[in-house]
């Protein structure tokens, strides 16, 4: 009801809540679990929509039973994704907005490619409002944004220092083969056989940033990443992190490598200062708000980006460490199997007790 009052005040007909953070991550810090807070459904995957008269939640087959139980009495309809005659979230939005209206969402939580899909799907009578974040005062006990201490991954683990990675990245930026090229929010024709030169590379994907700067952290449970953004030009590299995430010593080390550390949210202002340049980004992994902040004279080169492939190719050091990790894992698995076989029949063993 509080959300609906907010929607009325802002002229929103449908509010859309994905399971996402500002970096299009699969796993989330508690601060970003808005869908769980609004619906009560705590599964790891799901999409919520709310209108002034109804609400619905989409989730997959892993969670049908759980969602049915957790949504009971909430007034929220469960949509079992993948089942016969169940629409997709996009089809349901299209149905709800068939006669026009305003679709509201937090542009930081949706990828730019998803916005482009919405624009293709909806007629001009539908207004896409990407500037409607959920108000903090409507979630009074919202967990604060995680800001755990980051640390540097030593060369004995990474096998390649950041200076070398930046040099190789800048070379790769000179020969980008984009999947699409955007100008003024419109995809324009281009020759796929001709490589393009990117003057700026805008990164939002946390694992790619961690790889590039050899940084690790604990901002997302079981994911060794640091909440951050990055921007690389032919001469400069910027890392945007929360105050307190880096020690003075680590900040100084990064500075000695030519990396400029700035505050986490400063990236949104910095991109507005770019002038008529070619910006490389992956629209599937960079959020709408960040892309929309870019000046209109910028050309967007939409491609997965060089880091995705570079970090998939393991150097000699990484290969040795992978082997060592598998040995440790094998020992742990062998110990577990020995314990299991030794104790079966002597005690009741459940999945939980075995874990």
């Amino acid at each position: 009801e509080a959300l609906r009052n907010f929607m009325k005040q802002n002229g929103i007909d449908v509010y859309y809540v994905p399971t996402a953070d500002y970096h299009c991550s699969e796993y989330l810090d508690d601060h970003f679990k808005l869908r769980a807070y609004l619906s009560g459904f705590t599964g790891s995957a799901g999409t919520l929509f709310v209108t002034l008269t109804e609400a619905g939640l989409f989730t997959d087959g892993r969670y049908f039973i759980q969602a049915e139980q957790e949504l009971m009495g909430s007034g929220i309809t469960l949509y079992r994704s993948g089942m016969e005659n169940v629409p997709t979230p996009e089809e349901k939005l299209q149905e709800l907005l068939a006669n026009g209206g305003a679709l509201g969402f937090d542009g930081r939580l949706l990828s730019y490619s998803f916005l482009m899909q919405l624009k293709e799907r909806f007629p001009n009578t539908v207004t896409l409002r990407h500037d409607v974040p959920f108000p903090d005062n409507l979630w009074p006990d919202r967990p604060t944004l995680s800001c755990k201490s980051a640390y540097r991954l030593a060369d004995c683990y990474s096998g390649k220092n950041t200076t070398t990675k930046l040099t190789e990245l800048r070379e790769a930026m000179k020969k980008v083969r984009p999947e699409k090229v955007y100008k003024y929010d419109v995809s324009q024709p281009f020759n796929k056989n001709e490589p393009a030169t990117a003057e700026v590379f805008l990164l939002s994907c946390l694992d790619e940033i961690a790889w590039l700067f050899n940084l690790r952290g604990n901002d997302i449970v079981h994911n060794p990443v640091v909440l951050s953004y990055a921007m690389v030009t032919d001469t400069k590299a910027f890392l945007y992190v929360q105050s307190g995430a880096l020690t003075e010593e680590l900040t100084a080390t990064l500075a000695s490598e030519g990396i400029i550390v700035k505050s986490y949210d400063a990236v949104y202002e910095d991109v507005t200062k770019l002038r008529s340049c070619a910006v490389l980004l992956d629209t599937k992994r960079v959020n709408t708000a960040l892309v929309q902040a870019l000046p209109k004279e910028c050309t967007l080169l939409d491609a997965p980006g060089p880091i995705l492939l570079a970090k998939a190719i393991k150097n000699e050091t990484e290969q040795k460490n992978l082997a060592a990790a598998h040995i440790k894992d094998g020992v742990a698995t062998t110990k577990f199997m020995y314990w299991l076989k030794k104790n079966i029949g002597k005690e009741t063993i459940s999945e939980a007790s075995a874990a």
Side-chain angles (χ1 to χ4, degrees):
E1 289 306 314
L3 173 58
R4 285 179 172 134
N5 288 333
F6 171 75
M7 291 165 60
K8 290 175 186 175
Q9 294 166 8
N10 289 273
I12 302 298
D13 298 289
V14 183
Y15 196 74
Y16 184 83
V17 184
T19 300
D21 65 5
Y22 303 155
H23 307 275
C24 303
S25 304
E26 181 179 1
Y27 302 100
L28 309 180
D29 170 50
D30 287 347
H31 177 81
F32 295 106
K33 294 180 179 179
L34 175 60
R35 183 263 304 153
Y37 171 73
L38 285 171
S39 68
F41 168 60
T42 59
S44 67
T47 300
L48 176 71
F49 73 85
V50 179
T51 76
L52 298 179
T53 57
E54 64 176 297
L57 182 128
F58 291 82
T59 193
D60 61 65
R62 294 173 294 170
Y63 296 114
F64 289 170
I65 296 173
Q66 177 184 340
E68 186 175 6
Q69 292 172 345
E70 293 183 337
L71 295 178
M72 195 175 297
S74 68
I76 299 173
T77 302
L78 173 60
Y79 290 84
R80 296 172 172 81
S81 296
M83 300 298 286
E84 190 175 358
N85 298 322
V86 175
T88 64
E90 294 80 10
E91 289 169 343
K92 183 61 182 179
L93 291 177
Q94 198 166 15
E95 174 192 323
L96 293 169
L97 294 163
N99 297 319
L103 173 63
F105 54 90
D106 186 343
R108 297 170 298 178
L109 298 177
L110 285 183
S111 70
Y112 188 69
S113 67
F114 189 78
L115 176 68
M116 291 294 99
Q117 292 172 31
L118 291 178
K119 286 190 173 184
E120 291 177 5
R121 182 177 289 271
F122 290 114
N124 294 331
T125 53
V126 175
T127 304
L128 300 176
R129 294 277 307 278
H130 63 81
D131 58 342
V132 195
F134 187 79
D136 285 337
N137 66 306
L138 297 189
W139 189 354
D141 56 349
R142 184 172 193 171
T144 56
L145 198 62
S146 177
C147 184
K148 303 288 177 59
S149 295
Y151 59 95
R152 203 70 189 277
L153 194 69
D155 290 352
C156 63
Y157 297 111
S158 67
K160 186 181 291 186
N161 62 44
T162 296
T163 300
T164 302
K165 288 181 178 181
L166 283 169
T167 299
E168 293 175 353
L169 172 60
R170 289 180 172 122
E171 284 301 309
M173 287 167 59
K174 296 176 183 177
K175 44 191 176 183
V176 176
R177 295 188 182 275
E179 296 177 354
K180 288 184 179 180
V181 175
Y182 289 99
K183 188 77 172 178
Y184 295 99
D185 284 348
V186 177
S187 181
Q188 59 185 31
F190 67 100
N191 187 348
K192 290 187 176 182
N193 297 318
E194 287 292 327
T197 298
E199 298 161 90
V200 177
F201 182 25
L202 187 58
L203 294 97
S204 171
C205 190
L206 299 181
D207 60 281
E208 293 187 1
I209 296 171
W211 179 89
L212 177 62
F213 296 105
N214 285 335
L215 288 176
R216 298 294 185 269
N218 294 288
D219 283 332
I220 301 177
V221 177
H222 305 312
N223 289 257
V225 295
V226 183
L227 290 175
S228 55
Y229 301 95
M231 187 163 60
V232 178
T233 72
D234 57 350
T235 58
K236 296 180 180 179
F238 300 89
L239 174 64
Y240 301 88
V241 295
Q242 296 180 85
S243 175
L246 306 180
T247 63
E248 291 184 7
E249 181 183 3
L250 182 49
T251 301
T253 299
L254 292 167
S256 70
E257 298 170 352
I259 299 162
I260 302 167
V261 176
K262 306 192 74 172
S263 65
Y264 181 60
D265 291 324
V267 65
Y268 289 91
E269 181 181 354
D270 281 5
V271 297
T272 66
K273 299 174 183 176
L274 297 173
R275 291 293 174 264
S276 191
C277 59
V279 180
L280 171 63
L281 52 83
D282 185 348
T283 60
K284 297 182 183 69
R285 310 182 91 182
V286 177
N287 73 54
T288 288
L290 193 54
V291 179
Q292 294 287 68
L294 288 164
K296 296 300 182 185
E297 58 264 31
C298 289
T299 300
L300 309 186
L301 307 177
D302 182 9
I307 291 178
L308 188 66
L309 291 177
K311 77 183 188 72
I313 302 171
K314 305 304 178 186
N315 59 49
E316 186 176 340
T317 298
E318 290 172 318
Q319 291 177 36
K320 288 179 179 178
N321 288 331
L322 279 169
H326 276 285
I327 290 171
K328 290 182 178 182
D329 181 63
V331 170
T333 303
T334 302
K335 286 183 175 180
F336 170 73
M337 292 305 296
Y338 175 76
W339 170 86
L340 186 64
K341 291 180 178 182
K342 185 179 177 182
N343 289 282
I344 283 179
K346 297 180 181 178
E347 60 182 273
T348 300
I349 301 175
S350 68
E351 288 185 44
S353 68

